[in-house]
Structures are given as structure tokens and as C-alpha cells.
Amino acid sequence: MNPLLAPRFPFDPARVPFFYGWWILVVTTVGMLASIPGQTMGVGVFTEHLLQESGLGRLEISMAYMVGTIASSLLIPLGGRLLDQWGSRVMIVFAGVGLAGALFLLRHTATLLGWTQGAASLLPATWVSLAVLSVLFLLLRQFGQGLMTMVSRTVLSKWFDRRRGLATGLNGVLVSFGFSSAPLLLNTLIQQNGPAETLLLLAVTCGLGIAAWGWLFFRDQPEDCGLLMDGESQETRDSAPRSRNTAAVDVPLEDVRRSYTFWIFTLGMASSALIVTGFTFHIASIGEHAGLSRQEIYSVFVPISVISVGAHFLSGWLSDRIPLKYLLMVLVAMLALGSLGILHLETAWGRVLLMIGYGVQGGVWGCLSVVAWPRFYGRKYLGAISGLFMGVVVFSSAIGPAVFGLSDKLTGSYAGSAWAAVALNLLLFLGAFRAQTMLTAPPAVAPDSGNLSS
């Protein structure tokens, strides 16, 4: 092992006067928040700027976003396997530096388009612009939404067992608020400093800053530092009954792929990525259709963030006490409710439906994305499993803007995409009934069924 990556360098977590897992909770929360520039709520704020810089239409921008995000989704499972092999400190530095580079390139979109269009003068300018923006979106999504988020969530889930629900709830207080309030904050920064300076600020803080932060504080798991999950002593762990929150058997990825439980949870959370991504990416246009100003439509994210914080903390507490499939059912039901609100954004009650539905589902999503996979499949292959999950989620987020953009182009409104979102989540609600309801994993995995605890 490289001495710079040794678990006890530059300091020994076991010598910290409190359980280092609580500091891991803080540092991984910062890591998740730092991914915002690569998340849709971060990219979407710059949509109008990119429309002006590129000269493309809204649908073309959506298609470039879709192509770049789909490409990212194909690479993220590899990132999950590398996380298992190389560890979180290498991967968080890689993600941070990569995100900084992507944001710096995005800052110079017009210059890049000028260079590439000059070099490829025989090709239509629109094709060149689409290709350049697709690559920029690929880099943003790969390093931001993909790697940085995946590494942070995976590390957090490895440090807690009995208190995983509590840790997830505390993590959600800041992450839910940060994610939901990010569009309004970024929009304010753009108005005060301009898009270019805002992108440079994000590159330094969320990219290079988190690379240094992650190398200093991230550690893969407590055992590497001579500790146990939850900060328990070996005597306490031996005398206590086995926890319900981590599977007794580590399940390899090939068995996870055959699990109905894995796919219904993944599809439910991927549905959230598809819908919320589409809504957030076109938020200014959706508000314009409803007769709302840019400031008015972005202001819906403030109550969404408050609701999401409460939902995340409550779902974290409940996750230690009820089968997780009921939280999944709440998630998809709230997605349907929030999508109904899109149909009536011009009314106060429509905006209330949107805020409640998307707020609750955001909090539940944050909880399930951390607690579900170690509960079902253990910790040994968690990187590879998280990589597959994130690949599907990112792929779904790629489709969202195109679906919403196509609805607007073909029908002149976003009603078609909203109704499709309602129907999809009602189907997923019914599908969630088939997930098992046991709170603990069986001692062995049947490869033909793959149904573990929920």
C-alpha cells in the first residue's frame, strides 16, 4: 500500500477521542453536497446560459445531456468495481479532480465550441455543438453525480450497522436541504457573479477542495483502523444479538443481478432520478408555462428542502424498525403525487402537491440509497453493487430531460410527461408488494430467486 493512502496516515482514526464514524458522517455529507454541480439541480441552473453559448435549442440541449449521461451510466459500474479494489481515498481524489476539470471546461463552452467548429469545419455546426456538450455532460455526470456520490454513500454505509438508520437520518438533514435549496442558491450566485465566475468558484470548492478533503479524512471501513462498526467493543459486539441492518452473508454481484428485490428498489429510485431530473432541468421553462417568474419557480425548492429534511430523518429512524419495502412504496406514491402537482403549477394547491410529493420522496430516496444495499447484500461487494445501482439511476436521469423536452416540443406543454410519471409510479407501487418483508437476511442466498430482506 502507498504510505500516503495508509488508513492511519496522516493521523490514526483510532486515536480520535470519539468514534471516528461520526466524523465519517460529516465528511461524507460534505462529499455528497460537493456533487451538486454534477447533479441535475446544479446543471439545470446553467441551462439558459448553455442555450445562449451554444446556439442550440432546448430539445438539442436535452439530447446532448441524455447522450452524455447515458455514456456516464455505462462507466459508473466500472467505478464501483474500482472502488472495491482501490478504496475510497483514491476514488474521491479522482472524482474531485475530474469534477474540477469538467466545471472548468464548462466555463469555457463558447471557446471550446469555437475551436472544435473551426477544426471540424466540414461538419454541420449543430453536430459539433452537440458532440462537445455531450462530452461536457459526460464528465460532469461521471465525476459529480456518479463517482463522488457513490463513494460518499458507500463509505458512510460501511461505518455503521445498528445505528445506520440514525446516521442516515442525520446525513439527510444536510443533504436533503442542500440538494433542494441548491438551485435557488446557484441561481443567486449566477445573478450576482455571472455564470463563468460561478463555475470557477464551484471548480475550486466542490472539485479541488473535496479532493483534498477526501484524501485527508475518508477511510474505507472501521476495521482498517482497528475499530468496529458503531464504535462498539469486541466484547459488546460478541454479546449482543446479531444486527438486522447488515446481511449475514456477503452476496456477490452476479447473484444480486438476479434479485427481484434489487431491481424493484433500483427501478423505484431510478424513477425518481428520471422524473426529478426532467423537472429540474426544464424548471425555468415549466415555470414559464405556468405563468411563474424564474424566482417564483425556483422558490418551490425551499419548502421541498424542508420537507425532504424531515422525511429523510424520519425514514432513517423507520428503516431500523420496519421492512424497507414500505419506504419504497411511500417513495413512488409521493413521486406520483408530486407529478400531479406539475399539471397545476399555476395554482397554489398544485404547488403544494409538488412540494409535498417531491420533498417526501427526496428524503426517502436519500435514506434507501444508503441503508438498502448493506441490509440486503452485506459490505464486501458494496462498491460493485452500488456501481450497478448508480449506473441505472444515472441512465434514468439521462432520459428525464429528453422526455420532458420532447413533451414540450410535440404538445407545447409538459402535461404528457407528468401523466407518464404518474402512471409509471403507480405501476412501481404495485410491484413493490412482491418485495419480501423480512427484516433480516437469510443465512444463504438462493441464486434462482435472489430475494433478500426488505
Side-chain angles (χ1 to χ4, degrees):
M1 177 183 292
N2 188 319
L4 294 177
L5 300 174
R8 303 191 184 192
F9 180 85
F11 63 91
D12 186 356
R15 300 177 68 88
V16 173
F18 55 87
F19 175 50
Y20 192 72
W22 296 116
W23 184 238
I24 285 289
L25 170 62
V26 174
V27 300
T28 54
T29 298
V30 173
M32 294 180 200
L33 292 173
S35 74
I36 285 174
Q39 303 281 354
T40 302
M41 81 282 294
V43 179
V45 179
F46 294 94
T47 300
E48 306 304 317
H49 168 68
L50 293 175
L51 287 171
Q52 296 176 2
E53 293 283 293
S54 66
L56 297 175
R58 194 170 297 278
L59 180 58
E60 286 79 12
I61 289 283
S62 299
M63 295 303 294
Y65 188 81
M66 181 180 72
V67 171
T69 306
I70 288 176
S72 173
S73 73
L74 299 176
L75 294 174
I76 287 175
L78 172 61
R81 292 192 292 272
L82 292 177
L83 174 59
D84 287 334
Q85 297 174 19
W86 293 353
S88 62
R89 293 174 84 182
V90 172
M91 295 303 292
I92 198 65
V93 171
F94 182 52
V97 173
L99 181 59
L103 290 166
F104 183 78
L105 291 174
L106 192 67
R107 180 176 186 260
H108 297 283
T109 300
T111 303
L112 288 174
L113 290 176
W115 288 348
T116 52
Q117 288 172 359
S121 57
L122 297 179
L123 296 176
T126 300
W127 293 10
V128 177
S129 297
L130 284 171
V132 170
L133 284 174
S134 296
V135 173
L136 292 177
F137 286 139
L138 161 63
L139 296 175
L140 278 174
R141 304 293 274 167
Q142 176 69 14
F143 293 113
Q145 184 197 27
L147 292 180
M148 191 170 289
T149 305
M150 179 181 68
V151 173
S152 300
R153 286 200 182 105
T154 301
V155 171
L156 176 61
S157 66
K158 286 185 176 183
W159 277 80
F160 293 94
D161 180 25
R162 303 175 193 277
R163 298 175 179 173
R164 187 176 292 129
L166 173 62
T168 302
L170 294 173
N171 165 263
V173 170
L174 288 176
V175 171
S176 297
F177 182 79
F179 274 44
S180 299
S181 59
L184 184 60
L185 174 61
L186 292 176
N187 185 57
T188 302
L189 288 174
I190 290 173
Q191 290 177 339
Q192 292 178 351
N193 306 305
E197 293 306 312
T198 300
L199 287 168
L200 180 60
L201 175 64
L202 294 174
V204 173
T205 55
C206 297
L208 299 179
I210 198 63
W213 173 267
W215 172 80
L216 184 61
F217 294 121
F218 272 45
R219 300 294 186 274
D220 286 310
Q221 56 188 1
E223 290 82 358
D224 295 340
C225 308
L227 300 169
L228 295 175
M229 287 188 291
D230 302 312
E232 295 181 346
S233 65
Q234 190 62 55
E235 293 76 12
T236 302
R237 179 58 55 93
D238 292 340
S239 62
R242 188 174 71 83
S243 168
R244 305 177 302 179
N245 292 337
T246 300
V249 175
D250 293 308
V251 185
L253 182 62
E254 53 268 26
D255 288 337
V256 173
R257 287 197 186 103
R258 296 194 291 270
S259 167
Y260 176 85
T261 298
F262 172 80
W263 285 111
I264 193 63
F265 272 80
T266 295
L267 291 175
M269 289 189 273
S271 171
S272 171
L274 187 155
I275 295 164
V276 177
T277 298
F279 169 74
T280 306
F281 193 87
H282 296 287
I283 181 68
S285 177
I286 291 173
E288 184 179 344
H289 277 270
L292 302 175
S293 69
R294 186 179 174 95
Q295 190 70 21
E296 286 174 328
I297 189 61
Y298 276 109
S299 67
V300 303
F301 287 103
V302 175
I304 285 176
S305 67
V306 174
I307 295 170
S308 184
V309 165
H312 198 146
F313 192 84
L314 178 60
S315 59
W317 181 81
L318 289 172
S319 69
D320 291 334
R321 293 163 174 80
I322 66 172
L324 296 185
K325 82 170 190 178
Y326 297 124
L327 291 178
L328 175 64
M329 293 168 72
V330 169
L331 185 151
V332 295
M334 291 297 101
L335 273 171
L337 182 69
S339 299
L340 284 174
I342 294 178
L343 298 167
H344 303 282
L345 276 180
E346 71 280 359
T347 67
W349 66 268
R351 294 192 290 276
V352 169
L353 288 182
L354 175 82
M355 292 183 289
I356 293 175
Y358 285 0
V360 172
Q361 71 83 29
V364 177
W365 197 101
C367 169
L368 289 178
S369 66
V370 175
V371 306
W373 309 136
R375 167 82 66 86
F376 301 154
Y377 308 119
R379 295 189 297 160
K380 184 176 181 180
Y381 306 101
L382 198 53
I385 295 167
S386 298
L388 176 59
F389 161 70
M390 284 301 300
V392 176
V393 168
V394 173
F395 181 87
S396 301
S397 70
I399 301 172
V403 169
F404 276 68
L406 189 62
S407 174
D408 180 47
K409 188 175 183 66
L410 295 179
T411 67
S413 77
Y414 295 94
S417 54
W419 279 118
V422 173
L424 171 63
N425 283 280
L426 290 179
L427 289 175
L428 290 170
F429 183 87
L430 296 175
F433 279 100
R434 282 194 57 196
Q436 290 189 348
T437 58
M438 293 184 299
L439 279 172
T440 55
V445 178
D448 58 340
S449 66
N451 287 330
L452 298 178
S453 62
S454 306

